[in-house]
Amino acid sequence: MRNKLIIHGHFYQPPREDPWTGLIPVQKSAAPYSNWNHRIARECYAANAFSRILDNRGLILDIVNNYQYISFNFGPTLLSWLKDFSPGVYGRIIEADRQSLKCNKGHGNAIAQSYNHSILPLCSTEEARTQIIWCLRHFEFHFGRSSEGLWLPEAAVNNSILDLLIKEGVKFIILSPWQAGAYSPKPSTSWKALADKPIPSHRVYEINRPEGSIAVFFYNHSLASGISFSHYLHNADSLYTQIRSFKSSDPVENLISIATDGEIYGHHEPFGDMCLAALIRLIEKRDDFQLTNYGLYLEEQPPRFLVRLKGGEDNLGTSWSCSHGVSRWYKDCGCTDGGKEGWKQRWRKPLRESLNKLRGKLEKVYSLEMKRISSFDPLALRNHYIEVIEGRRSRKEFAAGFLDKIKQQDHNSEALFFNLLEGQKYAMFMFTSCGWFFSDLSGIETIQNLAYAARAIELYSPFTGKELVESFLESIGSAHSNIAEQGSGKELVEKNVFPMRKGLEYGAALFIIAELYKLEERRLKNYGFFEKEELVFSRNPDNGNGVEHSGNIRVISSLNGRSEAFSFHIFVEPGKLPRLSLDQEKKGKRYIELNTLPQSIKASIIQQLTVNCLKECGDLALSIFNHHRDLLSISRSMSLPLPEEIINMAAISLKSSIEKIISNNSAFSDKETLMISLKEIEKLIALAREFEIAIDLTFLNAGISKLVAQRAENLSTAFKEHIIEEIKLLAKSAGRMNLTIDLARAQNSIFQLLMLADRQDYLTPHQKKLLTATAFVVGINA
C-alpha cells in the first residue's frame, strides 16, 4: 500500500534593498556574488529549478524541476526579486505550480508566506492582518490563483493569528510537532496531553475557533531534523530508506510530512537539490509512496482529530525555532545562532521595545494624517497598497482611484499620501524576524531593520519634525552590542544607518554618470526608486588635460512623485575619478561622492578609466614581446629563468591578445570566423603553457560559456545544423585548452529541446541524431 508523502520547502530571504535607493548594496560576505540573493539563487533556487541527475560518468541523465514535485512557499519579497533578477528561475517556479495543479486535482504545490517574515504573534492585530492580506494578494498576483495554505514565519502562531487566518479563508498551516499541547478524536471527548512529546504527524488535525476552523499539518521531526542537520541529503537511497522506516500499513492515517528550510537543498547542503531530484525519481519507480501536497491530502482525508496548541512563554505563542515559544524575538531566552563564548542577547528586549514604541507613534501619525488628506479608511487603504508595491497598479492609478476621496487634490498631498503609505511598509519591514535571530545587535540583518526604521521616520518627518528620530535614538541607546567597539544601538544607527540616507540628488548622479559613460540600460537592471524626467547633457571636446561637461536634469521619485531639478557640472581628468557637482536653486551647490554609487556603476567607471591605459599597456607589451620572443626559447634551452619583468610582460601581451579576440563579436559571427578565432586563441594558450606563463583565464571561461549558451538558446528557437557544429567547435576547443566552462545554461536549453523533440515530431531523424550528439558534447547522456 502506498503511503502519502509530502516534502515541503520553505524558501525565504529577508528583504535586502537599501530603503533610500531600492537597490541592494554589495554584500562582501556573499562573494563571489554581489549579494546573498544572487548567491543563494544560484546555489539553491536555480539548482532546484534545473536539478541534475547524473550517470556514473558524470553525464546528465535527467534535469528535474523539483518544485513540480514538492510543496513549497517562497517569501514574497524574494519571489518578487527572482521575477526581476532571475526570470528563468521564476518562470520554472510558476510553471511547476501550474503542472502540479494538473497532477493533484486542482491543488497546487505552492502556498503563501506572510509578507516580510515578521513574527506574527508579536505584531499588532492590524499589522498581522495586513501581513496576511499582503501575502495572499501577492500570491494571487504571481500564481494566478488563491493560496489554500499559508506558511507562518518561523511557524510562529497563537490563537489571535489563527483567528485572522480563518477570517481570510486560509485552509491549513504547517507546524512543528512540539507546538501541539493536546489532541483528541472528533468530537472532543478524550483529550490526550502531550507535555514535552511531539504530536503524531501521520495525520491532519483541526483547530476549532469561534471564527471557524483551520487544518494543521505537523511535520515528521526525525526526518526534518535528519535532512537539516544530519546530512541525509548525501545519498538518495539512504534517504529513501530513512523515509521508508516511517511507512504505515494504516489505509487512512499514512501521511509522512517533511518540512524544512528550502535552502537546505543546495545552499546549506551542497548538491542537496540533486539528492532531492534523485529521491523524486526513485519514488516514481517504486511503489511505496505517492508524492502529493497538503491541499489534495486535505480534500481526500479531512481531519478526524482536533488539536490544541501550546501557549508558549508569556502565553504569546510558539514557533519551530525557539523551544520557549516566540521569546527568541523579544528577549534573551538562550536561543541563538553563532556568536562567541559569553555573548548574550540582552539587546533583543530593548530593540523590540524601541521598535514597538516607534511603531505605535508611526501608526498614530499615519491614522491622523491620512484622515486629513483622505476620507478612505487608513487601515483598509494600507491593505490595498500591496497593489502598488507589487506593480499591479501604478502610483498614479492608485491615487486616481481615490481622487474623489482625497480632500486636498494637489501634488503635495499626493506626495504626502505616498509618504504615509511607504512609511507603513517600512514600519513593518523593521520587524523582519532575522533582526533578532542571530547573535548580535551589529549583525547585517539587524542593521537592515534599523535602516527600515530610520527610513520610516524620515518619511514621516514632514509631519513630526525631529521628534521621532530623537526619541528613537534615545530609546535604542539602551540596546548594546556584544562587541565593545560597536557600542549601543544609537551609535550603530549613527555610524551605519544615517550615512545610508540619500535623496533625489543620488538618483540624478546615477543618470548623469550613466550618460557620461554611455552605460547600457541592462548594466543597471533598474534605477531603484528613481526615474529620469529629462536630461540635457552638453559634452565638451577633450583637450587631453581634462574636460568639463554640464547640463540639466530633473529626477522624480517613483515612491511619492516628488521631483527635483538640478544643473550639473562634471569634470573628468585622464585617469581620475570624475568630480560631479549639482546645483539647485535655493539649495546651492553640493558635490556628490561617486564612491557611494552602485557597484555596477563604479565597475563601469573603472572600466572606462582604465580601458585606454590597458590598451596601451597591452599594445606596448605585445610589441616588445614580439620583438624579443626568442628570449623565451633561448632561456629554456639554457635552463635559465628569465627576469620576472619579462615574464609579466609576456603574460600581459598574451592576455591582451586573447581579450581582443574574445571581445570581438564579429570574430565569432559564423562557423568559419569561429574556427579561425578559436585556433588563434588556442595557439596563444599553448604558447603560454609551453613557457609556463601564468594567465588568469576567468574572462575566457566566461566568454566561451556565454557563446555556447547563446548558441544553445538559438537552437531552441531555430534548429540550424551550423549552430550544432558551432557548439561542438566551442566545447571541443574549451576542452583542448583545459578551460572549466559553465555549461549550465546550454544544458538546460538542449535538455528541454530533447524533451520537446521526444513529445513532438518536428525534428527529422537526422536532426534528432545531431541533437543527441550535441547533448553528449555539453554533458548530457541523451
Side-chain angles (χ1 to χ4, degrees):
M1 183 196 64
R2 300 173 80 194
N3 280 206
K4 301 299 177 69
L5 174 62
I6 303 174
I7 301 171
H8 182 84
H10 162 51
F11 297 93
Y12 156 74
Q13 294 298 307
R16 302 184 186 279
E17 288 78 7
D18 179 327
W20 282 274
T21 68
L23 302 170
I24 299 179
V26 171
Q27 296 173 314
K28 293 181 180 179
S29 59
Y33 300 92
S34 61
N35 60 64
W36 279 103
N37 277 10
H38 275 297
R39 176 169 172 175
I40 301 176
R42 180 62 185 269
E43 295 173 350
C44 178
Y45 312 132
N48 280 283
F50 300 94
S51 191
R52 271 68 169 153
I53 294 178
L54 307 179
D55 64 14
N56 55 12
R57 296 173 295 171
L59 297 177
I60 296 171
L61 286 172
D62 198 1
I63 294 180
V64 182
N65 186 347
N66 288 345
Y67 304 112
Q68 190 173 329
Y69 303 92
I70 67 170
S71 171
F72 65 87
N73 70 273
F74 269 84
T77 57
L78 171 61
L79 190 65
S80 295
W81 181 90
L82 286 169
K83 184 175 186 292
D84 289 337
F85 292 93
S86 190
V89 174
Y90 172 85
R92 292 279 282 186
I93 292 167
I94 301 302
E95 180 59 24
D97 183 66
R98 290 188 186 129
Q99 293 300 322
S100 70
L101 287 166
K102 299 175 183 177
C103 301
N104 294 285
K105 301 180 181 178
H107 299 278
N109 285 348
I111 65 171
Q113 177 215 285
S114 176
Y115 195 73
N116 65 274
H117 218 264
S118 298
I119 302 301
L120 294 188
L122 298 178
C123 294
S124 68
T125 300
E126 287 303 329
E127 183 180 16
R129 188 192 308 278
T130 299
Q131 285 276 313
I132 293 167
I133 289 173
W134 278 14
C135 81
L136 293 175
R137 294 286 286 139
H138 173 278
F139 187 93
E140 292 169 5
F141 294 153
H142 290 268
F143 290 96
R145 64 178 181 85
S146 298
S147 177
E148 295 182 89
L150 191 143
W151 180 268
L152 296 164
E154 303 294 341
V157 68
N158 61 13
N159 286 337
S160 65
I161 299 304
L162 291 174
D163 291 340
L164 292 174
L165 295 173
I166 292 167
K167 281 184 181 179
E168 296 303 325
V170 176
K171 293 180 180 179
F172 67 83
I173 56 175
I174 307 159
L175 300 178
S176 160
W178 275 281
Q179 290 177 263
Y183 67 98
S184 168
K186 294 172 69 174
S188 54
T189 54
S190 176
W191 285 92
K192 180 176 181 179
L194 290 162
D196 294 326
K197 295 180 180 179
I199 194 171
S201 61
H202 57 277
R203 62 170 80 100
V204 62
Y205 297 83
E206 181 177 282
I207 296 178
N208 289 328
R209 297 286 301 159
E211 296 291 341
S213 64
I214 188 168
V216 185
F217 291 91
F218 296 95
Y219 58 81
N220 182 302
H221 64 91
S222 295
L223 292 171
S225 177
I227 288 172
S228 298
F229 307 112
S230 299
H231 305 297
Y232 280 13
L233 294 177
H234 281 190
N235 184 279
D237 289 302
S238 297
L239 177 55
Y240 186 90
T241 300
Q242 293 287 350
I243 295 172
R244 200 177 188 284
S245 68
F246 290 92
K247 193 172 185 294
S248 169
S249 59
D250 191 302
V252 177
E253 295 188 346
N254 58 18
L255 172 64
I256 300 175
S257 169
I258 307 170
T260 66
D261 280 335
E263 286 73 21
I264 193 67
Y265 299 106
H267 171 58
H268 297 304
E269 190 76 79
F271 308 111
D273 66 286
M274 295 173 66
C275 181
L276 177 59
L279 176 69
I280 289 166
R281 290 295 182 247
L282 198 59
I283 289 168
E284 289 178 331
K285 290 178 183 177
R286 301 185 183 178
D287 201 37
D288 291 322
F289 305 106
Q290 176 190 346
L291 281 168
T292 185
N293 61 38
Y294 294 111
L296 177 57
Y297 186 91
L298 188 58
E299 177 188 316
E300 294 179 339
Q301 301 290 346
R304 300 189 301 120
F305 280 75
L306 301 174
V307 65
R308 292 174 180 163
L309 302 181
K310 293 176 181 176
E313 279 188 348
D314 303 324
N315 205 36
L316 288 174
T318 59
S319 69
W320 76 340
S321 50
C322 176
S323 60
H324 312 91
V326 292
S327 303
R328 184 173 192 154
W329 297 277
Y330 71 94
K331 67 179 182 181
D332 186 4
C333 66
C335 295
T336 186
D337 190 291
K340 296 182 179 180
E341 186 177 352
W343 280 19
K344 302 293 183 182
Q345 282 69 53
R346 297 190 184 103
W347 53 270
R348 285 177 178 163
K349 184 177 180 183
L351 174 64
R352 174 66 63 174
E353 290 175 345
S354 298
L355 292 179
N356 280 344
K357 182 179 177 182
L358 175 60
R359 173 178 59 195
K361 291 184 176 182
L362 292 170
E363 286 179 347
K364 286 181 180 178
V365 173
Y366 173 72
S367 180
L368 177 65
E369 298 298 336
M370 188 60 81
K371 286 176 181 177
R372 287 179 178 172
I373 61 174
S374 173
S375 57
F376 200 86
D377 177 64
L379 291 176
L381 185 54
R382 184 177 73 182
N383 292 339
H384 282 295
Y385 191 55
I386 186 62
E387 299 170 16
V388 175
I389 294 172
E390 284 300 313
R392 297 293 156 159
R393 293 177 71 181
S394 71
R395 293 180 186 272
K396 288 185 178 180
E397 290 171 338
F398 191 76
F402 298 98
L403 280 177
D404 63 319
K405 300 180 183 294
I406 292 179
K407 297 172 182 176
Q408 301 175 42
Q409 297 180 24
D410 57 52
H411 183 75
N412 186 58
S413 66
E414 282 193 27
L416 295 177
F417 175 71
F418 286 114
N419 270 28
L420 289 167
L421 288 164
E422 278 293 308
Q424 286 299 287
K425 180 184 79 174
Y426 290 122
M428 286 190 279
F429 277 27
M430 70 188 186
F431 286 106
T432 301
S433 68
C434 303
W436 285 266
F437 190 85
F438 298 101
S439 58
D440 194 63
L441 180 67
S442 62
I444 59 172
E445 298 84 3
T446 312
I447 296 298
Q448 187 76 8
N449 283 13
L450 292 173
Y452 291 137
R455 180 60 170 148
I457 290 170
E458 183 179 82
L459 288 165
Y460 281 22
S461 61
F463 314 104
T464 65
K466 295 182 179 180
E467 189 276 327
L468 273 183
V469 67
E470 290 173 351
S471 64
F472 178 65
L473 287 174
E474 180 183 357
S475 178
I476 198 68
S478 59
H480 290 271
S481 167
N482 287 293
I483 305 169
E485 55 267 31
Q486 294 291 354
S488 69
K490 178 177 182 292
E491 292 171 292
L492 284 168
V493 170
E494 290 174 335
K495 289 187 298 185
N496 298 311
V497 174
F498 283 170
M500 294 171 64
R501 293 182 294 190
K502 304 173 186 73
L504 286 172
E505 72 281 354
Y506 183 84
L510 286 180
F511 292 114
I512 293 167
I513 293 298
E515 177 64 26
L516 174 67
Y517 291 113
K518 296 296 183 184
L519 302 183
E520 299 177 52
E521 289 291 326
R522 64 178 179 80
R523 293 303 300 271
L524 276 179
K525 193 171 183 75
N526 60 61
Y527 286 87
F529 297 149
F530 308 106
E531 297 175 10
K532 178 177 62 181
E533 282 195 317
E534 58 185 55
L535 172 61
V536 177
F537 197 107
S538 299
R539 293 178 179 272
N540 295 320
D542 190 344
N543 59 14
N545 297 317
V547 58
E548 184 173 19
H549 306 297
S550 60
N552 299 286
I553 187 171
R554 177 174 287 277
V555 179
I556 184 171
S557 165
S558 60
L559 295 182
N560 59 19
R562 286 192 185 280
S563 66
E564 291 186 18
F566 305 88
S567 60
F568 65 85
H569 295 270
I570 184 162
F571 189 66
V572 184
E573 294 181 83
K576 292 186 179 181
L577 196 65
R579 286 181 289 160
L580 172 63
S581 66
L582 296 175
D583 202 353
Q584 223 177 347
E585 189 178 351
K586 297 181 181 179
K587 292 185 179 180
K589 182 179 292 187
R590 73 187 95 172
Y591 288 90
I592 302 300
E593 177 55 61
L594 298 187
N595 196 42
T596 65
L597 296 178
Q599 191 72 6
S600 57
I601 286 281
K602 291 193 290 185
S604 298
I605 293 175
I606 293 298
Q607 184 181 15
Q608 290 291 335
L609 289 174
T610 59
V611 64
N612 290 333
C613 177
L614 289 174
K615 183 178 183 302
E616 289 178 14
C617 287
D619 290 345
L620 183 60
L622 183 61
S623 174
I624 297 173
F625 176 67
N626 287 338
H627 189 68
H628 297 285
R629 183 177 290 199
D630 288 347
L631 276 173
L632 295 175
S633 300
I634 294 171
S635 67
R636 190 173 64 173
S637 65
M638 299 178 69
S639 301
L640 291 172
L642 282 171
E644 185 178 346
E645 292 83 356
I646 300 296
I647 296 298
N648 289 342
M649 187 176 300
I652 293 172
S653 170
L654 293 171
K655 183 178 179 182
S656 177
S657 299
I658 297 170
E659 283 179 331
K660 284 181 181 179
I661 299 171
I662 199 70
S663 62
N664 181 7
N665 291 332
S666 63
F668 304 94
S669 57
D670 55 47
K671 181 180 174 182
E672 298 306 317
T673 56
L674 179 67
M675 290 177 64
I676 294 170
S677 299
L678 289 175
K679 283 182 179 178
E680 183 61 29
I681 292 174
E682 288 181 36
K683 286 180 182 178
L684 294 168
I685 297 292
L687 181 63
R689 287 175 177 158
E690 180 183 355
F691 293 100
E692 299 180 348
I693 301 170
I695 303 175
D696 181 2
L697 296 177
T698 304
F699 72 97
L700 184 58
N701 281 325
I704 300 292
S705 300
K706 183 178 178 181
L707 289 169
V708 175
Q710 288 173 339
R711 280 160 172 78
E713 288 161 2
N714 291 341
L715 196 63
S716 299
T717 56
F719 194 93
K720 302 282 182 65
E721 289 194 21
H722 73 85
I723 299 178
I724 292 278
E725 293 303 315
E726 289 170 15
I727 291 174
K728 290 180 181 178
L729 284 171
L730 286 161
K732 290 178 180 179
S733 178
R736 287 192 293 270
M737 291 186 283
N738 294 320
L739 298 178
T740 306
I741 62 173
D742 184 354
L743 291 170
R745 276 176 58 192
Q747 291 167 346
N748 294 342
S749 296
I750 290 176
F751 189 85
Q752 290 182 62
L753 188 57
L754 284 167
M755 296 299 100
L756 190 61
D758 285 343
R759 291 194 297 268
Q760 299 179 20
D761 190 24
Y762 76 101
L763 293 182
T764 66
H766 175 64
Q767 288 174 327
K768 286 184 178 180
K769 185 177 179 180
L770 288 175
L771 183 60
T772 300
T774 308
F776 182 81
V777 168
V778 298
I780 299 173
N781 183 349

